[in-house]
Amino acid sequence: MKIEQDIKVKKLSDRVSVATSFANDKTSIKSLVILPVIEKWKLWGLALWIVLWTICGLLIISSYKIAQNSNQKIFIIVFAFFWIYYEWKMIQVFFWRKKGKEKLWIKDNKMFIEEFNGLKKKTQVFNLHDINRIEPTDFNDKSFSDFISLSFWSKGKPRIKINVLGKEHYFGYQLTDKEVSDILKEFKQFKS
């Protein structure tokens, strides 16, 4: 049995699109897709940074065997933890930038939020009637951490929060104020 669908797609920005599909059986699926900011030259720069960081870290860690005293060995061990942490963070950001995306869709009175970071998928499911509110997160242009969250080498800060039965859930990394506003308008239409 083949179900024909009529799909209407609306682009809110270069990164954000909204689609509504209607099947012959009168069911509809409303979906929102958010892609990460991708600038090819910055992605290549990030890849080069990861390669150089890897080489430098391995060279320093390999010097553990020839360390002259215990202070040098302790320094190399502490450095190794710092190095591994930032190595893993930058690899995650690279895959997020290269293949990541966020999806939000509503089907059968349920809302699904999916985050794919290029390596793994995480999906959360909520009943629509359990959602108390959806609103923008606090974002301060003068805050150092919020300013840094806009950088290319960071996955960023989610800009939208959804309160479900008193618990906050976040999505919409590195969205602009206009994108946040447009998504909130679309969500109001989703719920109706």
Side-chain angles (χ1 to χ4, degrees):
M1 180 171 115
K2 184 179 178 185
I3 298 176
E4 292 187 29
Q5 289 189 334
D6 179 29
I7 300 174
K8 295 179 183 175
V9 178
K10 178 166 98 174
K11 286 188 83 160
L12 300 180
S13 72
D14 291 340
R15 305 176 44 211
V16 182
S17 61
V18 177
T20 306
S21 61
F22 301 96
N24 285 344
D25 63 354
K26 305 290 187 222
T27 59
S28 71
I29 300 173
K30 298 177 182 183
S31 63
L32 169 80
V33 176
I34 304 170
L35 301 172
V37 176
I38 299 174
E39 295 178 59
K40 296 285 185 192
W41 71 272
K42 287 184 180 179
L43 194 62
W44 281 105
L46 183 60
L48 178 63
W49 187 91
I50 291 170
V51 168
L52 294 175
W53 182 260
T54 302
I55 292 168
C56 291
L58 292 174
L59 286 172
I60 291 172
I61 292 169
S62 67
S63 69
Y64 181 82
K65 290 181 180 181
I66 59 170
Q68 300 293 320
N69 58 44
S70 62
N71 287 341
Q72 289 177 343
K73 289 182 179 185
I74 290 172
F75 171 79
I76 293 170
I77 291 169
V78 171
F79 172 84
F81 284 110
F82 168 79
W83 175 78
I84 289 169
Y85 173 78
Y86 280 102
E87 179 87 4
W88 177 243
K89 284 293 189 186
M90 289 302 104
I91 289 171
Q92 285 179 321
V93 169
F94 178 80
F95 279 107
W96 168 254
R97 296 285 180 201
K98 185 132 175 91
K99 297 185 179 194
K101 66 181 158 187
E102 295 175 276
K103 288 183 188 177
L104 180 145
W105 71 94
I106 295 175
K107 180 182 177 184
D108 301 329
N109 287 321
K110 291 188 188 281
M111 182 174 73
F112 302 82
I113 299 175
E114 179 181 280
E115 183 181 319
F116 178 63
N117 68 4
L119 298 171
K120 65 179 180 174
K121 233 180 241 189
K122 176 183 166 188
T123 305
Q124 301 175 60
V125 182
F126 310 106
N127 289 318
L128 272 182
H129 64 272
D130 291 339
I131 298 173
N132 299 328
R133 67 186 174 279
I134 179 169
E135 60 191 9
T137 58
D138 296 328
F139 191 83
N140 183 355
D141 292 336
K142 294 182 172 95
S143 164
F144 180 73
S145 64
D146 287 352
F147 173 74
I148 290 296
S149 78
L150 296 175
S151 67
F152 189 80
W153 58 85
S154 166
K155 184 177 177 182
K157 177 180 179 180
R159 296 290 311 273
I160 297 175
K161 65 180 169 182
I162 300 174
N163 185 292
V164 181
L165 298 174
K167 186 175 180 191
E168 305 290 346
H169 301 273
Y170 298 90
F171 80 101
Y173 291 92
Q174 290 190 332
L175 292 174
T176 65
D177 290 339
K178 183 179 180 338
E179 289 170 334
V180 170
S181 174
D182 291 345
I183 288 171
L184 293 178
K185 285 178 195 168
E186 289 294 328
F187 186 79
K188 286 178 185 169
Q189 294 175 9
F190 277 16
K191 283 192 78 174
S192 54

